[in-house]
Amino acid sequence: MMKTARAKPPRRAAPKKPSNTGQKDPVGVYCRVRPLSPTDQECCIEVINETTVQLHPPDGCRVNRNGEYKETQYSFKQVFGTQVTQKDLFNSVAKLLVEDLIHGKNGLLFTYGVTGSGKTYTMTGSPGQGGLLPRCLHMIFNSITDFQAKRYVFKTDDKNGIEVQNEVDALLERQKRDNQPQVVTRTPLSRQKPETEFADMINIEDGCKVEEIDEDSVYSVFVSYIEIYNNYIYDLLEEVPIDPIKPKWNTPGKNAEFIPPQSKILREDHNHNMYVAGCTEVEVKTTEEAFDVFWRGQKRRRIANTQLNRESSRSHSVFMIKLAQAPLDADGDHVLQEKEQVTVSQLSLVDLAGSERTNRTKAEGSRLREAGNINQSLMTLRTCIEALRENQMCGTNKMVPYRDSKLTHLFKNYFDGEGKVRMIVCVNPKADDHEESLQVMRFAEMTQEVEVARPVDKPIFGLTPGRRYRNQAFKDELTRRLEERGGPVIGGKPEEQAVIEMLIQSFPAIPSCELLDANDDQTLPRLIEALEKRRRIRQMMAEEFNKSITSFRSMLQDFNGVVAAKENMAQGKMTERERTIVSQRSEIERLEKKVKTLEYKIDILEKTTTIYEDEKRTLQQDLEVQNQKLQRQLSDKRRIEARLQGMVTENAMKWEKECERRVAAKQLEMQNKLWVKDEKLKQLKAIVTETKGDAPERPSREKDREPKGDVFRTRGGGQSVQFTDVETLRQQSPPGTYRKRRSSESNRPPQVENTDSEWTDVETRCSVAMEMRAGSNLGPGYQHHAIPKRRKP
């Protein structure tokens, strides 16, 4: 018997960011109805109100069982009609996600719908009508422009993390990147600007801005762009140098079917978050620069011409915006170098490929294979949503098949409680898309019932707020005072010496001290007077400067005292937190030991359970076999009993009939014997009692003619007679007497023969009576009438 494989115990999760497991928010699902094309006359979708749409079956569509058209209504968080603008859509859907991004929370926004329903337009936009993506970039940079870190201060690692470099290392890396020669790539897109028709997509009027922002932190934005094509992940920003050995047709300009060099794989970081290993992450500082990076990747995305859409997306595109932020130190001048103080948040904007029917798109070959993979990934997304909904509503623990598709595997953390999830369902109201739109509406309505854990705010670092502005105010005040003293500080010298030299240069000029003759009594007094004046000015300015230095030193001492007190308080809090951490670590170690012990016990119990289950399964099988044998034996026994009962009944009937027949035959035989005995006794009595002169009584001819035999009952209900004895009697007369009687038989009357002589002899009559056989009713006179006996049949 094959044993079932024991399930591997789940791995203990590493400490992650705290989450509000008690507070959950449903997935926000919005619906957007695109305008009807001029060529499509019939409409099947109607906007009822701000939250409800209604689907009408088009003409010729299948009706329900009652023969009537069935109209269905679906509710969403908000419904956007055909007249809604891109700005209104952004303010209702994506604005809150950008605010959460700047506050250190993750977000996922994806568009879903059939081919040609307006998903790419909603995400990207058109000239003059920028979509959600450029508006998100504009709002981010409009909020953090004054608080951005210098380039390369934040540096990405290969494990989905962000490191902080000091200013010297960042400066060296900037110089290194500036002096590095440009790599010759397959495409010159990195040196091009966006096309003119898309240049005004980033010039968004009425730009939004996050009001509540941490001004004591510095920020940096990293963007990456990938696509999921045929369940493979490709980096759309990867630049590959030209290889002279390989053919030149494998370039975007020469071949529309451009294939990136290598697919990427998904990995899991130390916090169990999924990321694309080796994906290019570009640090951007402006909206234009970020959108330029997006447009370079957009040029490499897979699109094709189908029967339903001239530029149909053949892959799922994911544009990821990663925001890194770290607090300033206590002086508000430099970024803290601790990696634990860096907060990384991410906003993923997903443009899903449209679900489609191959019989409508007339796809063949590679297009058919692409459509199959697209529909398969969307079906996996639907399956994951159904499993999550069932687990939350029914309390089950069903496994969610995230790994069945790269799309769901990449974003499993969002559904497990790592950020908000928003979905925009795009629908085309034309009648030809009614069946597809119906399926999309059902999936969207089911998605609204899934709840995602609400993320919490980032922890407070315990530093005094307003550090940036105090540092800036100190610098401004120092600059102002130095300007009052004659200008900025001379670089490379101490402040005191530089100020003194600057003041000396502002003294009155020394007059000429050359003596023309010995009687010159004016040059020396003028020189002495000038020197005395310079001495008094210097002394006065030195005293004022010393006073300023003293006041400034006192102010610095006060500030240092405040800082020391803050540091002591922070140190006390850090010590207390370290103690808490130590206690928590000891508690964690104790719990880990307990978990190991419990896992060991669970392992033993699972093995024991497996053994018992095997024995139980074996005993159940044996019991089933024995039950089957017993059932067969019982059925055979019942069948034999039925047969025996029938045979017994039949034999009983036979024996009953046979007994009745034999009894009747025996009764008849006994009656015949009794009758014979009675006859013999009668004859014997008659012989003994009658006189010699009396003639014997002649037996009745009627009785002589009665047949003697046994009577039996037949099966038909009648009777049959079996003769027991047949006798033949003959009588011969003398020849003369016979002739005489025949000759005179007709002329003379009959004469009674004289037989008295024969019956008068007693001995003769007794001998005749005694010689008669049993069962015969014929008397001695029978032989005188010459009646022969009947033969047996």
Side-chain angles (χ1 to χ4, degrees):
M1 183 182 297
M2 182 179 294
K3 294 183 178 181
T4 58
R6 183 173 63 88
K8 184 178 180 181
R11 178 176 55 182
R12 184 176 64 87
K16 300 179 65 175
K17 294 185 296 184
S19 60
N20 285 343
T21 56
Q23 297 180 354
K24 292 185 178 181
D25 295 324
V27 176
V29 181
Y30 303 83
C31 179
R32 185 179 191 182
V33 182
R34 67 165 292 176
L36 193 65
S37 301
T39 57
D40 299 323
Q41 301 298 330
E42 187 177 0
C43 179
C44 66
I45 297 178
E46 179 184 359
V47 179
I48 303 299
N49 50 41
E50 294 181 355
T51 59
T52 308
V53 295
Q54 182 172 336
L55 268 69
H56 305 276
D59 295 338
C61 183
R62 292 182 300 176
V63 296
N64 58 2
R65 295 181 180 179
N66 298 329
E68 299 176 355
Y69 289 101
K70 183 178 180 181
E71 299 177 349
T72 55
Q73 292 185 358
Y74 297 93
S75 300
F76 300 91
K77 189 172 183 179
Q78 190 172 352
V79 176
F80 302 98
T82 58
Q83 304 298 327
V84 69
T85 61
Q86 299 279 56
K87 179 183 177 182
D88 296 337
L89 181 67
F90 171 79
N91 292 335
S92 300
V93 180
K95 185 177 180 181
L96 294 178
L97 294 179
V98 176
E99 292 179 355
D100 289 343
L101 176 71
I102 295 178
H103 293 157
K105 302 175 185 178
N106 298 331
L108 172 63
L109 173 62
F110 59 95
T111 56
Y112 180 80
V114 300
T115 300
S117 59
K119 300 183 299 299
T120 304
Y121 171 78
T122 300
M123 186 61 67
T124 306
S126 63
Q129 292 290 331
L132 299 178
L133 189 146
R135 292 179 182 272
C136 288
L137 292 173
H138 182 76
M139 182 176 179
I140 292 171
F141 288 105
N142 194 26
S143 302
I144 66 171
T145 300
D146 299 332
F147 312 107
Q148 289 194 74
K150 295 182 180 179
R151 199 180 295 270
Y152 305 125
V153 171
F154 291 95
K155 183 180 180 181
T156 60
D157 56 10
D158 296 332
K159 299 180 181 179
N160 200 30
I162 298 291
E163 297 178 350
V164 181
Q165 299 187 121
N166 54 38
E167 293 185 359
V168 177
D169 294 337
L171 179 61
L172 293 176
E173 189 166 355
R174 285 196 297 269
Q175 292 178 355
K176 180 180 177 181
R177 296 292 180 92
D178 293 339
N179 297 329
Q180 187 177 4
Q182 294 291 334
V183 179
V184 180
T185 59
R186 293 175 181 262
T187 174
L189 289 175
S190 60
R191 297 188 300 269
Q192 291 182 357
K193 295 182 179 180
E195 280 76 358
T196 306
E197 58 179 342
F198 293 100
D200 59 345
M201 292 177 62
I202 56 179
N203 295 330
I204 303 173
E205 299 179 356
D206 301 331
C208 300
K209 182 178 180 180
V210 179
E211 299 297 335
E212 297 180 359
I213 187 171
D214 187 5
E215 298 175 349
D216 293 323
S217 298
V218 292
Y219 302 85
S220 185
V221 178
F222 297 86
V223 296
S224 58
Y225 197 18
I226 64 172
E227 70 170 353
I228 302 176
Y229 176 73
N230 287 341
N231 208 24
Y232 290 98
I233 299 177
Y234 297 102
D235 185 5
L236 297 178
L237 302 180
E238 186 176 11
E239 299 289 350
V240 180
I242 294 178
D243 191 349
I245 299 178
K246 294 183 179 180
K248 296 182 179 180
W249 56 266
N250 194 19
T251 58
K254 298 294 183 180
N255 186 11
E257 298 293 336
F258 173 70
I259 301 176
Q262 186 179 4
S263 63
K264 304 298 180 181
I265 61 176
L266 291 176
R267 288 184 179 174
E268 194 175 36
D269 61 8
H270 65 283
N271 289 327
H272 301 293
N273 294 324
M274 304 307 301
Y275 70 98
V276 181
C279 180
T280 304
E281 292 182 331
V282 182
E283 185 178 8
V284 291
K285 295 299 180 183
T286 61
T287 306
E288 292 77 8
E289 186 179 355
F291 194 78
D292 179 57
V293 173
F294 163 75
W295 191 245
R296 284 194 286 121
Q298 186 72 5
K299 283 293 185 179
R300 300 177 182 176
R301 190 184 174 188
R302 317 291 181 108
I303 59 174
N305 185 10
T306 63
Q307 294 290 331
L308 298 180
N309 192 356
R310 185 173 60 87
E311 294 183 355
S312 176
S313 301
R314 314 308 297 168
S315 63
H316 310 298
S317 67
V318 182
F319 188 78
M320 291 177 285
I321 305 173
K322 184 180 293 185
L323 180 65
Q325 52 182 309
L328 296 172
D329 57 6
D331 295 333
D333 195 13
H334 302 287
V335 184
L336 290 177
Q337 301 295 316
E338 290 81 2
K339 189 175 181 179
E340 294 77 11
Q341 303 294 345
V342 179
T343 302
V344 180
S345 55
Q346 180 173 301
L347 175 61
S348 299
L349 304 176
V350 185
D351 182 13
L352 296 177
S355 60
E356 56 187 17
R357 292 187 178 182
T358 55
N359 57 353
R360 293 187 59 197
T361 57
K362 310 299 181 182
E364 297 178 355
S366 62
R367 296 290 172 265
L368 181 61
R369 185 165 57 254
E370 291 170 356
N373 290 318
I374 292 171
N375 294 335
Q376 181 64 32
S377 61
L378 295 177
M379 183 61 66
T380 304
L381 177 62
R382 181 188 295 261
T383 305
C384 293
I385 294 296
E386 290 177 353
L388 285 171
R389 173 176 172 270
E390 181 179 354
N391 290 341
Q392 294 177 3
M393 298 185 66
C394 302
T396 59
N397 194 18
K398 186 177 180 181
M399 185 187 70
V400 183
Y402 290 117
R403 294 178 178 270
D404 292 351
S405 173
K406 292 294 192 303
L407 178 66
T408 55
H409 194 194
L410 178 61
F411 298 116
K412 66 180 291 291
N413 307 106
Y414 290 95
F415 293 100
D416 289 341
E418 287 295 330
K420 291 183 179 180
V421 180
R422 295 290 182 266
M423 180 174 72
I424 300 178
V425 177
C426 301
V427 291
N428 194 337
K430 66 178 182 180
D432 295 338
D433 290 347
H434 176 264
E435 294 293 333
E436 290 84 352
S437 300
L438 192 64
Q439 299 297 326
V440 169
M441 293 293 184
R442 292 174 180 173
F443 170 69
E445 193 173 45
M446 176 186 61
T447 305
Q448 294 181 115
E449 299 178 357
V450 176
E451 294 183 346
V452 179
R454 182 183 302 174
V456 298
D457 297 330
K458 64 180 181 179
I460 301 175
F461 299 106
L463 298 176
T464 306
R467 302 182 301 278
R468 181 191 295 272
Y469 281 118
R470 284 202 304 271
N471 182 47
Q472 187 66 33
F474 173 73
K475 290 181 179 180
D476 294 341
E477 181 65 19
L478 181 60
T479 304
R480 185 184 64 79
R481 291 191 178 187
L482 290 178
E483 288 179 353
E484 290 179 355
R485 298 298 184 267
V489 179
I490 300 175
K493 295 183 180 181
E495 290 185 3
E496 269 190 57
Q497 188 68 26
V499 172
I500 291 173
E501 291 181 357
M502 183 177 57
L503 292 175
I504 291 175
Q505 292 177 1
S506 63
F507 288 162
I510 299 176
S512 177
C513 58
E514 183 180 359
L515 296 175
L516 298 178
D517 54 8
N519 296 322
D520 190 358
D521 54 355
Q522 295 181 359
T523 302
L524 291 177
R526 285 199 304 267
L527 179 61
I528 294 172
E529 185 181 359
L531 292 175
E532 187 66 26
K533 187 176 180 181
R534 289 171 65 93
R535 186 186 67 81
R536 288 194 302 268
I537 294 174
R538 179 177 179 180
Q539 185 177 1
M540 182 182 61
M541 297 183 68
E543 291 175 356
E544 186 179 356
F545 187 73
N546 289 330
K547 291 179 181 179
S548 300
I549 290 175
T550 303
S551 62
F552 186 71
R553 284 178 179 175
S554 62
M555 184 176 63
L556 286 177
Q557 288 176 358
D558 295 338
F559 185 75
N560 289 332
V562 175
V563 170
K566 300 282 187 179
E567 288 179 354
N568 293 332
M569 183 176 62
Q571 188 66 27
K573 290 184 179 179
M574 292 296 294
T575 305
E576 184 179 356
R577 289 189 178 182
E578 286 178 357
R579 293 175 183 174
T580 306
I581 291 172
V582 170
S583 62
Q584 289 179 354
R585 285 179 180 174
S586 61
E587 182 68 17
I588 289 172
E589 290 177 358
R590 186 184 65 81
L591 293 176
E592 286 179 352
K593 292 180 181 179
K594 187 175 180 180
V595 167
K596 290 181 180 179
T597 305
L598 293 176
E599 287 179 353
Y600 178 73
K601 291 182 180 179
I602 289 171
D603 192 7
I604 295 175
L605 291 175
E606 285 180 352
K607 291 181 180 178
T608 307
T609 303
T610 303
I611 295 173
Y612 286 160
E613 286 180 353
D614 294 339
E615 293 180 357
K616 178 182 176 182
R617 197 176 297 108
T618 305
L619 293 175
Q620 285 179 351
Q621 291 180 355
D622 295 340
L623 181 61
E624 290 178 358
V625 172
Q626 296 296 332
N627 288 333
Q628 291 177 359
K629 289 183 179 179
L630 183 60
Q631 292 295 332
R632 287 198 297 268
Q633 291 177 359
L634 290 175
S635 62
D636 294 340
K637 182 179 179 181
R638 292 193 192 97
R639 188 166 58 254
I640 292 173
E641 287 179 353
R643 291 178 60 185
L644 290 177
Q645 187 70 23
M647 294 175 65
V648 167
T649 305
E650 185 178 359
N651 291 332
M653 293 177 63
K654 287 182 179 180
W655 281 110
E656 184 179 358
K657 291 180 181 179
E658 183 67 20
C659 290
E660 290 178 357
R661 185 185 65 78
R662 290 186 181 183
V663 168
K666 200 67 176 180
Q667 288 178 356
L668 183 61
E669 183 180 359
M670 296 302 293
Q671 289 177 2
N672 291 332
K673 286 183 179 181
L674 290 175
W675 184 82
V676 170
K677 288 182 179 181
D678 290 341
E679 288 294 330
K680 286 182 180 181
L681 290 175
K682 287 179 181 181
Q683 291 179 4
L684 183 60
K685 183 178 180 181
I687 292 172
V688 173
T689 57
E690 72 178 359
T691 60
K692 295 182 178 181
D694 295 333
E697 185 178 356
R698 187 179 182 89
S700 176
R701 188 172 295 274
E702 296 295 330
K703 294 182 179 180
D704 293 341
R705 291 181 181 179
E706 291 181 0
K708 300 295 184 289
D710 298 332
V711 179
F712 302 98
R713 293 182 181 181
T714 61
R715 294 179 181 271
Q719 295 180 351
S720 63
V721 180
Q722 183 179 1
F723 293 97
T724 59
D725 189 12
V726 178
E727 292 185 0
T728 304
L729 299 179
R730 293 181 182 180
Q731 184 179 2
Q732 294 183 358
S733 298
T737 305
Y738 181 75
R739 292 176 182 176
K740 185 178 179 177
R741 290 178 63 180
R742 288 181 59 89
S743 60
S744 60
E745 182 175 346
S746 59
N747 294 324
R748 62 182 181 197
Q751 296 179 0
V752 179
E753 296 181 357
N754 188 11
T755 59
D756 295 337
S757 60
E758 298 178 0
W759 295 96
T760 58
D761 191 359
V762 176
E763 296 179 357
T764 303
R765 287 182 291 175
C766 290
S767 62
V768 170
M770 293 299 293
E771 290 177 356
M772 294 184 65
R773 299 183 62 179
S776 175
N777 60 354
L778 299 178
Y782 228 67
Q783 55 184 335
H784 300 288
H785 296 279
I787 300 175
K789 292 183 179 181
R790 296 180 182 179
R791 297 181 179 179
K792 292 181 181 182

